[in-house]
Amino acid sequence: MDLRTSYQQTSHQLSGHGRRNVGVLQQVFAEVDPNQASDHYGTGEVIARFEQKLAQELGMEDAIFFPSGTMAQQIALRIWADETKNRRVAYHPLCHLEIHEQDGLKELHHLEPILIGDDKRLMTLEEVQALPDIACLLIELPQRELGGYLPPFDELEAISHLCRERGIRLHLDGARLFETLPYYEKTAAEVCALFDSVYVSFYKGIGGIAGAILAGPKPFCAEARVWKRRYGGDLIGLYPYIIPADYYYGLRKDRMASYYEQAKELARRFNALDGVWTTPDVPVTNMFHLHVEGDVEEVSARVQAVQDTTGIGIAGYLVPHDGYCSTEISVGDSVEAIDAPQLNRLFEQFER
Amino acid sequence: MDLRTSYQQTSHQLSGHGRRNVGVLQQVFAEVDPNQASDHYGTGEVIARFEQKLAQELGMEDAIFFPSGTMAQQIALRIWADETKNRRVAYHPLCHLEIHEQDGLKELHHLEPILIGDDKRLMTLEEVQALPDIACLLIELPQRELGGYLPPFDELEAISHLCRERGIRLHLDGARLFETLPYYEKTAAEVCALFDSVYVSFYKGIGGIAGAILAGPKPFCAEARVWKRRYGGDLIGLYPYIIPADYYYGLRKDRMASYYEQAKELARRFNALDGVWTTPDVPVTNMFHLHVEGDVEEVSARVQAVQDTTGIGIAGYLVPHDGYCSTEISVGDSVEAIDAPQLNRLFEQFER
């Protein structure tokens, strides 16, 4: 049996909100009035109401529901590039647009990304200060591919101030924005106030099925709706994603502090084990990277043994590095179903 | 009350499969195992099985589920343009890409469409013969914006033959492909055999929620999957569209002959009325355009009076022309819920 299968056979998991199965959809729609009308190519009550609600939550003038963040963010950067008549945009080397989108931004829009800093740490204020003229700077909060780091809030404020002085548009990749709020002790609107445009996702910490909101000033959103049509994202009915997004947002937006506390506790216990450590050392959101010394065969056998013995899933995959392997832990509802003795047993087993 | 509201308040409709509401989704998912896994960024049983099934039905090597036809078709044309190193593609002036997509093809891919023929009729074989060198010719079956015309099958064969001789890729906009099969007396695979790539929709005659299949040779599909990721169409879960597409495809693919017969009967009865006519005169699919003499106020009042009296919806909008107005009738399950005396009453009322 491989690690993935071992993980899939566990009854509980440290990460997530449970299995991504059809039940996630059925739970939402069980209570919805069957006569409720579909949205219709971006119009209609079900989409307008959710867009307005999120615009308000994020403190932005307008908001648009998109099938995906990939589509939303490429469009955001394109609009800012057109507005500033500058093809250059800047982001971190581990930005989603750089590593997960098959170069869509370059292939579809011929924008020229500048990668800021290096792929081992967050970008710095000094690096932002040293940027040439660009249309837009994209900042991801938290930086997911590093394990979920956040810059101090006052550094964000300084970056925002700098961008406004220089006429650089500042875009927030807030796929996990809600997950950052307990650490920052800010509302979503207070964080978004530093940015010109914002994307948030509804299937990470929120645990919906798919879909994203892109928010910004009214003229920006008017243009984004045109691009959404051009991309084929303006579906006749997006309600199968919108209604779950709204449902799980209501269910989980106030649980982020609890996920964050539990992530810190899990990281503390992993860091107490020999040859095991996390980044961040102390998490600042619900997520962290877990690192275990050894080559992929050793670590895989070790993790699998724990999973098979305890029934608790830690990892379904490992990323091998020089002398250690890594995986991502992202805390959601699932961990709450694991009681204290089970969790003790997990760490005892992992120690051996 | 306006015509749209009048239409929405009718209890039965000549067109469609009933209201596009949440019940359409709930009906499908009522019987699905809640443990069935979501697809995962284009992989997983639920998406692979449906893609393979449709590839087989269409007689193509491979098939890909897309959130929209807009995305699927732009990508198809781009791939053929790259393969043939030619930026020119050709289609009818009323092609979806030309009139409903905010110029996505031009803005995202900088392709150069050549519009063939005029917007009052289908393109002809002679016009295709006269084309300059192009990458791809797109043919829509039936030509929706004209009311649903089809070329004779032997003309399609001649066009296909010509394109193959000249190295021009032939793409089928088969949004309503299944609706053409009773008239052509062909299988879907027999029609698709004339084309290099094919798009079909699952929310027109099939009556699903949204989504499309793009099918073609394996290397074409491999490239299309890359473009789907670039567009942000490779969602973490498309099953909320796939499972309904499969369900309603199973439910309705064999009813197309019945829809077609009923469309012919409705058109015959409309054509028997004074100042009322249809295009096509005798429908060749489940759809036709209905034209009524008079300006928009007159025709609107006339249609609304019939709707309010009979409870049967004919039109929610009218397109005004010089001396007459038009609307689209597209027959589905709804018409079957109207009994003969009700239908007689509709035509009696319309006559007055």
Side-chain angles (χ1 to χ4, degrees):
Chain A
M1 189 164 60
D2 65 0
L3 188 62
R4 187 184 181 81
T5 310
S6 154
Y7 183 76
Q8 285 168 341
Q9 291 182 358
T10 56
S11 55
H12 297 80
Q13 296 84 36
L14 296 184
S15 287
H17 301 296
R19 306 276 182 220
R20 293 188 60 86
N21 59 26
V22 166
V24 174
L25 181 93
Q26 289 166 324
Q27 179 182 334
V28 178
F29 282 94
E31 300 297 319
V32 179
D33 177 2
N35 294 311
Q36 183 172 339
S38 172
D39 50 311
H40 189 73
Y41 297 117
T43 67
E45 195 193 339
V46 65
I47 189 164
R49 198 175 44 201
F50 188 65
E51 289 178 344
Q52 285 156 25
K53 174 177 171 174
L54 265 292
Q56 195 157 26
E57 298 271 306
L58 303 174
M60 307 302 271
E61 283 183 9
D62 198 3
I64 308 161
F65 191 87
F66 273 86
S68 75
T70 296
M71 194 185 289
Q73 295 206 107
Q74 288 178 14
I75 287 173
L77 297 193
R78 170 62 186 262
I79 293 170
W80 294 135
D82 284 353
E83 184 170 306
T84 58
K85 297 185 173 51
N86 187 329
R87 310 311 289 169
R88 288 188 295 199
V89 295
Y91 49 60
H92 190 271
L94 296 178
C95 176
H96 197 275
L97 288 104
E98 190 64 17
I99 64 174
H100 289 306
E101 303 183 7
Q102 294 275 5
D103 281 339
L105 188 76
K106 296 165 213 167
E107 295 286 342
L108 289 167
H109 299 287
H110 310 288
L111 298 193
E112 297 162 26
I114 296 171
L115 306 183
I116 325 168
D118 78 39
D119 63 4
K120 301 282 181 276
R121 54 164 179 81
L122 295 180
M123 65 179 79
T124 64
L125 178 59
E126 291 66 37
E127 286 166 338
V128 175
Q129 281 166 334
L131 280 171
D133 273 348
I134 56 169
C136 178
L137 170 62
L138 178 150
I139 293 182
E140 183 185 351
L141 299 180
Q143 196 78 49
R144 186 257 177 122
E145 299 291 344
L146 289 177
Y149 282 89
L150 287 172
F153 197 76
D154 60 6
E155 188 172 316
L156 265 190
E157 289 176 312
I159 291 174
S160 174
H161 185 73
L162 181 71
C163 286
R164 278 181 193 168
E165 274 191 343
R166 291 190 52 189
I168 296 170
R169 303 298 185 274
L170 190 59
H171 172 78
L172 171 56
D173 178 340
R176 294 164 182 80
L177 169 64
F178 304 115
E179 292 87 320
T180 72
L181 304 180
Y183 173 77
Y184 278 147
E185 298 183 326
K186 302 283 181 194
T187 64
E190 285 167 339
V191 178
C192 293
L194 304 180
F195 294 86
D196 296 293
S197 56
V198 175
Y199 139 70
V200 293
S201 170
F202 292 91
Y203 67 90
K204 278 87 182 192
I206 300 298
I209 295 169
I213 278 281
L214 179 66
K218 275 186 196 296
F220 168 91
C221 287
E223 272 198 77
R225 285 178 210 278
V226 172
W227 281 107
K228 183 182 170 192
R229 170 61 62 102
R230 286 178 179 147
Y231 264 69
D234 195 18
L235 305 191
I236 186 168
L238 280 166
Y239 77 85
Y241 298 128
I242 296 169
I243 292 175
D246 198 16
Y247 175 93
Y248 289 112
Y249 175 71
L251 195 68
R252 298 196 175 117
K253 72 184 165 60
D254 297 329
R255 294 188 192 171
M256 295 297 165
S258 161
Y259 303 153
Y260 167 44
E261 292 303 323
Q262 288 176 96
K264 282 193 288 189
E265 173 63 9
L266 288 177
R268 190 189 61 72
R269 297 182 74 169
F270 277 119
N271 282 308
L273 303 177
D274 256 4
V276 178
W277 70 102
T278 71
T279 49
D281 183 38
V282 178
V284 291
T285 67
N286 68 322
M287 75 177 295
F288 57 87
H289 278 179
L290 174 66
H291 311 287
V292 183
E293 268 181 18
D295 65 26
V296 73
E297 286 73 24
E298 289 171 88
V299 178
S300 194
R302 184 172 173 187
V303 171
Q304 195 172 322
V306 180
Q307 291 183 161
D308 296 351
T309 311
T310 63
I312 300 174
I314 300 163
Y317 70 91
L318 294 169
V319 180
H321 302 285
D322 191 16
Y324 69 100
C325 295
S326 307
T327 196
E328 179 182 291
I329 304 289
S330 179
V331 173
D333 288 349
S334 292
V335 80
E336 291 175 20
I338 307 173
D339 62 24
Q342 280 178 298
L343 214 50
N344 293 340
R345 189 142 172 266
L346 173 88
F347 287 102
E348 284 161 25
Q349 292 287 328
F350 213 120
E351 184 69 283
R352 284 171 199 172
Chain B
M1 189 164 59
D2 66 359
L3 187 63
R4 186 184 182 82
T5 310
S6 154
Y7 183 75
Q8 285 168 344
Q9 291 181 358
T10 57
S11 55
H12 297 80
Q13 296 84 37
L14 294 185
S15 286
H17 301 296
R19 305 281 180 215
R20 292 187 59 85
N21 59 27
V22 166
V24 174
L25 180 91
Q26 289 167 324
Q27 179 181 335
V28 177
F29 281 94
E31 300 297 319
V32 180
D33 177 0
N35 294 312
Q36 184 172 339
S38 172
D39 50 312
H40 190 72
Y41 296 117
T43 66
E45 195 193 339
V46 63
I47 189 165
R49 198 176 43 202
F50 188 64
E51 289 179 344
Q52 285 157 24
K53 174 177 169 173
L54 265 292
Q56 195 157 24
E57 297 272 305
L58 303 174
M60 308 301 271
E61 282 183 9
D62 197 4
I64 307 161
F65 191 86
F66 273 87
S68 74
T70 295
M71 195 185 289
Q73 296 205 106
Q74 288 177 16
I75 288 173
L77 297 193
R78 170 62 186 261
I79 294 170
W80 293 136
D82 284 352
E83 185 170 306
T84 57
K85 297 185 173 53
N86 187 329
R87 311 311 290 168
R88 288 189 295 200
V89 295
Y91 49 59
H92 190 271
L94 296 178
C95 176
H96 196 276
L97 289 105
E98 190 64 17
I99 64 173
H100 289 307
E101 302 182 9
Q102 293 276 3
D103 280 340
L105 188 76
K106 296 166 212 166
E107 294 286 342
L108 289 167
H109 299 288
H110 310 287
L111 298 192
E112 297 162 24
I114 296 170
L115 306 183
I116 324 168
D118 78 39
D119 63 4
K120 303 279 181 275
R121 55 164 180 79
L122 295 179
M123 64 179 81
T124 64
L125 178 60
E126 291 66 35
E127 286 165 337
V128 175
Q129 281 166 333
L131 279 172
D133 271 348
I134 56 169
C136 179
L137 169 63
L138 178 150
I139 292 182
E140 184 186 350
L141 300 178
Q143 196 79 49
R144 185 256 178 122
E145 299 291 343
L146 289 178
Y149 282 89
L150 288 172
F153 198 77
D154 59 5
E155 188 172 317
L156 267 189
E157 289 176 314
I159 291 173
S160 173
H161 185 72
L162 181 70
C163 287
R164 279 183 191 164
E165 274 191 343
R166 291 190 52 189
I168 296 171
R169 303 300 184 274
L170 190 58
H171 172 77
L172 170 57
D173 177 341
R176 295 165 181 77
L177 169 65
F178 304 115
E179 292 88 319
T180 71
L181 304 179
Y183 172 77
Y184 278 145
E185 297 182 327
K186 301 284 179 192
T187 65
E190 285 168 339
V191 178
C192 293
L194 304 180
F195 294 85
D196 296 292
S197 57
V198 175
Y199 138 71
V200 293
S201 171
F202 291 92
Y203 67 90
K204 278 88 182 188
I206 299 297
I209 294 169
I213 280 280
L214 179 66
K218 276 187 194 296
F220 168 92
C221 287
E223 271 199 75
R225 286 179 209 276
V226 173
W227 281 107
K228 182 184 170 191
R229 170 61 62 101
R230 287 179 179 146
Y231 265 69
D234 194 18
L235 306 192
I236 186 168
L238 281 166
Y239 76 85
Y241 298 127
I242 296 169
I243 293 175
D246 198 15
Y247 175 93
Y248 290 112
Y249 176 70
L251 195 68
R252 297 195 175 117
K253 70 183 166 63
D254 297 328
R255 296 189 190 170
M256 296 297 166
S258 160
Y259 303 153
Y260 167 46
E261 291 304 322
Q262 288 175 95
K264 283 192 287 190
E265 173 63 9
L266 288 176
R268 189 189 61 73
R269 295 182 73 169
F270 276 119
N271 282 308
L273 303 177
D274 257 3
V276 178
W277 71 103
T278 71
T279 47
D281 183 37
V282 178
V284 290
T285 67
N286 68 322
M287 75 177 295
F288 57 86
H289 279 179
L290 174 65
H291 311 287
V292 183
E293 267 180 18
D295 65 26
V296 72
E297 287 74 23
E298 288 172 88
V299 178
S300 193
R302 184 173 173 189
V303 171
Q304 194 171 323
V306 178
Q307 291 184 160
D308 297 351
T309 311
T310 62
I312 300 174
I314 301 163
Y317 70 90
L318 294 169
V319 180
H321 302 284
D322 192 18
Y324 68 100
C325 296
S326 306
T327 196
E328 179 182 291
I329 304 288
S330 179
V331 173
D333 287 350
S334 292
V335 80
E336 290 176 20
I338 307 172
D339 62 24
Q342 281 177 298
L343 214 50
N344 292 341
R345 189 140 172 267
L346 173 88
F347 287 101
E348 284 160 25
Q349 291 287 328
F350 214 121
E351 183 69 282
R352 285 170 199 175

